[in-house]
Amino acid sequence: MNICVIGTGYVGLVTGTCLADFGHIVTCVDNNEEKIDSLNRGEIPIYEIGLDDLIKRNTKENRLFFTTDLKKAVEPSLVVIIAVGTPPQEDGSSNLNHVYDVARDIAHLVDGYKVIIIKSTVPVGTGRKVQQFINEILEQRISPEYLNSNPDASSHKPHYDVVSNPEFLREGSAIEDFMRPNRVVIGIESDSALAIIKDLYRPLYLFETPMVITTIETAELIKYASNAFLATKISFINEIGHLCERLGANIDHLARGVGLDNRIGQKFLHVSPGYGGSCFPKDTSALVHIAKDVGCDLKVTSATIEVNKNQKLMMIEKIADLVGDLTAKTIGILGLAFKPNTDDMRESASITIIDGLQKRGARINVFDPVAMDEAKKVLHNVTYAKSAYDAVKGADALVLLTEWNEFRYLDLLRIKKLLKQPLFIDLRNVYEPERIKRLGFDYVSLGRGSVRSNEKVNSKQ
Ligand code: UDX
């Protein structure tokens, strides 16, 4: 099947590449010439494990192409996938300009029959509006005035179906998530389009991946509701983490005890300095906005957003409480990306935390295995270290912010020697408190009480 994917961001690039790997002929289009040039040179603009090889294999086997020429890509394609960005605006709503621009361009190009899939996360009702928008342009294209002034134009109105097919892939495991999804959600109204979608996802269909076939509006809302629910799980456990500290309980054991109930599930119950990334912060705000527009006050989602903002700020307080006056103190930070296995810095807790520490006079040394180039675009006046050890050299405290695997097996005795004082603040609960204590660290994590090397447990924790 000939497919065109518009937008080569995270979702577009992974979707196009994986569909090519399913055996389809895929052309990815982007109006960013630089990006398309580098993709054609085999340089991948995002860090995603496995993507590089998959792109190379499929381009070599002539199933995957990159171009800036929308016409060339759309015309031969039966399926056109819109995967452009819907960035947040000041008020939390989504900016849909790219989606509508692309819809207009497609409407001018569509000929015969096409299935237009919206993969971008869009507010409920957007699919319907895109349908109306394309219809209006198609009506203009067959109007007597248009046909008179364009003698070569066809008087046949092209057919098309709009489908909502939100994407649930996570950065860092995007290929696996696309190839082995928990479900595929399809908002659709026509049987012929559904037959084409089933063909598009044939390998998943054969693996018996559940398909949720529903209306366009429901599919659009499923995406927001899923992300809001997951974000709520995190904010909930982060709040309970603070309670554990006050009551001397252990959040890790608690999360396991709670999560082993099948109705709750163990995933997304890991305490953290606050969730980040391009989806949870954006989609929770957009959902609140979508609801407000129809007179609904989403109290739970609003609280989730609030708790997450506070969580990031509370981490600054926590570090300041432990280190004391931060003026001219040096903090060695391990991990900057919003989670491991990505170089994405969007909404990362590290940005808020580092900014807060700097405002209190701290000097910041940082190390992240892959996100330092991205970090340079958003962090200022920090020292970029060559390794985790380099980052903690002479520091008054080590703060672990992202749980990269390489931070799970640090040479702790070496770290201890390098630090000015053995203060280890682990905001991802990577280490076992007792083990760190035995090595002579003052160790503080989230929701597990602090463990001082002199065995006194800080009552504040
Ligand atoms: C998320 C959704 O999981 C995905 O389905 C959607 O398509 C896009 O948004 P992503 O943002 O890539 O994916 O990352 P995810 O792994 O979900 O993590 C998001 C944030 O939550 C990270 O900052 C992570 O550190 C944090 N998190 C996750 C926690 O704080 N605790 C957890 O238990 C899980």
Side-chain angles (χ1 to χ4, degrees):
M1 195 187 290
N2 270 305
I3 297 160
C4 153
V5 180
I6 305 171
T8 57
Y10 233 103
V11 170
L13 198 52
V14 172
T15 301
T17 307
C18 291
L19 288 175
D21 211 58
F22 284 177
H24 302 299
I25 309 293
V26 182
T27 307
C28 294
V29 199
D30 204 295
N31 56 12
N32 183 334
E33 262 179 54
E34 216 178 296
K35 208 174 189 186
I36 293 297
D37 284 348
S38 53
L39 281 162
N40 278 323
R41 283 195 305 271
E43 293 159 19
I44 316 306
I46 52 175
Y47 177 87
E48 182 62 44
I49 294 162
L51 186 60
D52 207 319
D53 288 346
L54 215 58
I55 290 181
K56 284 194 181 121
R57 188 168 79 221
N58 284 285
T59 43
K60 200 169 148 219
E61 292 173 9
N62 289 324
R63 284 192 301 269
L64 183 60
F65 304 90
F66 301 101
T67 181
T68 52
D69 189 340
L70 189 71
K71 189 168 187 282
K72 209 171 99 193
V74 169
E75 275 178 355
S77 298
L78 175 58
V79 173
V80 179
I81 300 177
I82 301 178
V84 293
T86 53
Q89 310 192 100
E90 285 272 297
D91 64 357
S93 65
S94 306
N95 180 338
L96 296 174
N97 291 347
H98 297 314
V99 174
Y100 287 120
D101 286 350
V102 164
R104 188 194 48 235
D105 292 342
I106 297 171
H108 283 291
L109 293 170
V110 70
D111 215 351
Y113 174 73
K114 291 199 193 304
V115 176
I116 300 166
I117 298 180
I118 304 181
K119 258 214 182 288
S120 307
T121 301
V122 290
V124 183
T126 306
R128 193 72 57 196
K129 280 192 203 140
V130 165
Q131 242 172 7
Q132 284 163 7
F133 190 68
I134 295 178
N135 249 340
E136 280 165 24
I137 295 174
L138 294 184
E139 291 294 342
Q140 280 167 23
R141 276 178 54 185
I142 54 162
S143 67
E145 306 84 67
Y146 184 87
L147 292 173
N148 280 340
S149 48
N150 294 278
D152 293 339
S154 163
S155 58
H156 288 291
K157 192 177 165 193
H159 296 293
Y160 71 97
D161 278 303
V162 169
V163 174
S164 165
N165 174 213
E167 187 47 62
F168 298 95
L169 56 82
R170 290 163 299 171
E171 294 182 21
S173 53
I175 309 283
E176 178 65 17
D177 287 349
F178 192 94
M179 301 280 197
R180 299 264 184 280
N182 289 168
R183 81 300 206 188
V184 174
V185 173
I186 300 162
I188 205 160
E189 281 164 357
S190 115
D191 289 342
S192 44
L194 183 57
I196 290 167
I197 297 281
K198 283 184 179 169
D199 224 15
L200 181 75
Y201 286 124
R202 197 169 165 71
L204 302 183
Y205 214 62
L206 296 176
F207 276 127
E208 298 184 353
T209 304
M211 302 258 169
V212 181
I213 317 286
T214 181
T215 63
I216 294 176
E217 285 78 6
T218 312
E220 289 169 339
L221 192 53
I222 286 172
K223 169 74 185 191
Y224 283 105
S226 301
N227 276 352
F229 191 85
L230 291 169
T232 301
K233 254 184 128 173
I234 300 169
S235 275
F236 176 82
I237 206 72
N238 281 342
E239 227 178 18
I240 296 293
H242 293 296
L243 186 61
C244 283
E245 289 183 4
R246 295 287 164 93
L247 298 175
N250 181 308
I251 191 67
D252 293 345
H253 298 177
L254 180 140
R256 194 167 144 72
V258 169
L260 278 169
D261 182 329
N262 285 343
R263 293 170 302 174
I264 298 172
Q266 290 190 69
K267 291 182 179 158
F268 279 72
L269 284 180
H270 199 84
V271 275
S272 68
Y275 61 75
S278 68
C279 291
F280 287 172
K282 173 170 88 79
D283 294 351
T284 45
S285 297
L287 183 61
V288 168
H289 211 271
I290 291 165
K292 210 178 258 165
D293 281 348
V294 288
C296 280
D297 180 12
L298 292 190
K299 292 195 172 63
V300 174
T301 308
S302 299
T304 292
I305 297 168
E306 196 58 28
V307 169
N308 196 55
K309 279 188 185 145
N310 279 340
Q311 185 71 2
K312 294 177 181 178
L313 298 174
M314 284 166 89
M315 298 301 108
I316 304 167
E317 295 303 326
K318 191 175 184 99
I319 297 165
D321 272 1
L322 291 156
V323 179
D325 180 7
L326 283 165
T327 319
K329 294 272 171 55
T330 302
I331 310 294
I333 305 260
L334 302 191
L336 297 170
F338 81 97
K339 66 171 188 176
N341 302 324
T342 178
D343 63 351
D344 201 335
M345 285 293 293
R346 282 176 289 180
E347 303 279 344
S348 177
S350 66
I351 301 173
T352 313
I353 295 169
I354 289 172
D355 180 60
L357 297 175
Q358 284 177 326
K359 284 195 174 119
R360 291 169 188 229
R363 285 190 295 248
I364 306 290
N365 292 349
V366 299
F367 176 71
D368 186 288
V370 302
M372 294 211 283
D373 284 342
E374 283 302 308
K376 283 174 189 160
K377 299 176 189 165
V378 283
L379 299 178
H380 307 289
N381 300 321
V382 303
T383 304
Y384 291 92
K386 290 189 184 64
S387 67
Y389 304 99
D390 191 21
V392 301
K393 200 169 166 188
D396 297 271
L398 177 175
V399 178
L400 199 160
L401 278 185
T402 313
E403 69 279 34
W404 284 93
N405 268 346
E406 69 175 77
F407 299 152
R408 292 181 187 276
Y409 46 84
L410 292 166
D411 178 346
L412 293 166
L413 288 176
R414 186 172 164 203
I415 293 274
K416 195 173 151 219
K417 270 192 210 140
L418 289 167
L419 283 165
K420 201 185 276 173
Q421 53 177 359
L423 177 55
F424 189 151
I425 306 170
D426 177 1
L427 300 183
R428 293 283 184 171
N429 286 12
V430 166
Y431 284 92
E432 263 310 308
E434 288 306 319
R435 183 173 158 237
I436 306 287
K437 182 185 77 172
R438 279 199 298 275
L439 294 175
F441 278 95
D442 283 341
Y443 175 78
V444 180
S445 53
L446 293 177
R448 309 194 287 189
S450 73
V451 181
R452 298 277 166 167
S453 55
N454 61 8
E455 297 196 3
K456 267 192 286 167
V457 175
N458 184 344
S459 58
K460 268 173 87 181
Q461 302 302 314

